[in-house]
Amino acid sequence: AMTTISDLPEDVLVELLSLLPVRDLLRTCRLVCTQWRYVVDLTTLWKRKCQRDGFYRQSLDRSISDWKIFYMLCHLKRNLIKNPCAEENFQHWTLDDNEGDEWKIEDLPGAHGNDMPDPTVHKYFVTSYGPCFKSQLITLKKEGYWNQLMDEKRPEITVKDWYAARFDCGCRYELTVRLLSKDYIVLEEFHPEPVVIEQWSDAKWREISHTFQNYPAGVRYIWFQHGGQDTQYWAGWYGIRVTNSSITIGPQT
């Protein structure tokens, strides 16, 4: 007798289906029949996918309640800030304040500056003697994070930014990150005290980071804004330098 694919043992079916992209599994395979729906929903299938894509570690076994969601979050995970290292000029950034001699882009390490710890970063944005602030608004749905996922799972949202002064001039740095509702109401905010760097500092690059956890339901957008200015009002670009900003969602793999 001809055997059909539905006659395959469950473990073989898991192995086969785990090779398929998420979209096909959920939108097509799951609808084929009750047996396939059952297999697509199996923990073992999603664990297998995690193994295939390098997301799996044995130490995670006890802590993960939903391997399907874990897989999706790992699969989606990437930097949601576009053009973080000034490689595309000011594309994707909104220049909220652009005073003094305005924002500028320079190559690392820059005059009286230092290299970044990350050798893949080659440029930075630099502020002037008047307030310079720039921002990005991230629409979560557009990036693949659906409403129910954000509301029920509340995956961790991690924000990082890098800033540095130049050795010969004092400056200040500010960062504001807001989690916004669909009506742009602020549900949670990270806005640390401005960092004031005195003249003749070590001019080293420093990282600031924050992780939002257990935030309210209803987050639909993330608004990121950073910038500052020099504190000595020198013409030119003696203010704070920023680069390598990132926002990532999901497990710390």
Side-chain angles (χ1 to χ4, degrees), residues 81 136 138 157-161 173 175-180 186 188-192 210 212 221-226 246-247:
I81 296 264
Q136 274 189 43
I138 293 157
I157 300 171
T158 301
V159 180
K160 295 180 179 178
D161 199 20
Y173 162 79
L175 172 69
T176 307
V177 186
R178 294 177 179 155
L179 307 186
L180 305 173
V186 180
E188 207 150 302
E189 179 178 74
F190 174 63
H191 180 58
H210 176 75
F212 292 96
Y221 304 96
I222 303 170
W223 184 73
F224 175 103
Q225 187 199 54
H226 64 177
S246 69
I247 293 176

Side-chain angles (χ1 to χ4, degrees), residues 7-20:
D7 299 328
L8 290 171
E10 191 179 285
D11 57 336
V12 178
L13 202 51
V14 163
E15 200 59 26
L16 281 175
L17 292 178
S18 73
L19 291 162
L20 295 172

Side-chain angles (χ1 to χ4, degrees), residues 33-135:
C33 61
T34 46
Q35 187 208 10
W36 278 38
R37 188 173 72 200
Y38 167 78
V39 172
V40 168
D41 289 345
L42 279 176
T43 294
T44 46
L45 178 125
W46 294 97
K47 221 184 224 187
R48 188 73 189 95
K49 280 190 81 59
C50 285
Q51 283 169 334
R52 282 190 193 285
D53 290 9
F55 304 145
Y56 176 80
R57 287 198 315 277
Q58 200 146 19
S59 58
L60 296 168
D61 266 7
R62 281 206 178 91
S63 59
I64 288 168
S65 56
D66 188 332
W67 281 92
K68 177 163 142 192
I69 293 295
F70 178 76
Y71 177 83
M72 305 269 215
L73 287 171
C74 290
H75 181 69
L76 280 168
K77 194 171 183 180
R78 64 202 187 281
N79 187 1
L80 300 177
I81 296 264
K82 294 172 178 66
N83 185 25
C85 303
E87 293 291 346
E88 303 168 79
N89 206 359
F90 288 99
Q91 216 178 320
H92 305 293
W93 292 98
T94 301
L95 302 181
D96 306 312
D97 285 291
N98 202 15
E99 297 180 34
D101 284 321
E102 305 187 342
W103 279 101
K104 190 185 176 206
I105 289 165
E106 292 177 350
D107 293 319
L108 276 156
H112 297 278
N114 286 302
D115 273 316
M116 276 279 294
D118 183 344
T120 63
V121 181
H122 304 294
K123 294 172 188 281
Y124 58 79
F125 302 95
V126 57
T127 61
S128 186
Y129 61 86
C132 292
F133 287 92
K134 63 185 179 66
S135 63

Side-chain angles (χ1 to χ4, degrees), residues 185-208:
I185 292 158
V186 180
L187 300 177
E188 207 150 302
E189 179 178 74
F190 174 63
H191 180 58
E193 282 293 299
V195 178
V196 178
I197 301 170
E198 300 298 331
Q199 189 179 21
W200 317 124
S201 71
D202 62 12
K204 280 200 164 60
W205 283 94
R206 289 189 163 75
E207 185 186 44
I208 185 168

Side-chain angles (χ1 to χ4, degrees), residues 17-34:
L17 292 178
S18 73
L19 291 162
L20 295 172
V22 178
R23 187 175 284 248
D24 298 340
L25 280 175
L26 298 178
R27 294 203 175 162
T28 314
C29 302
R30 213 175 161 273
L31 308 178
V32 171
C33 61
T34 46

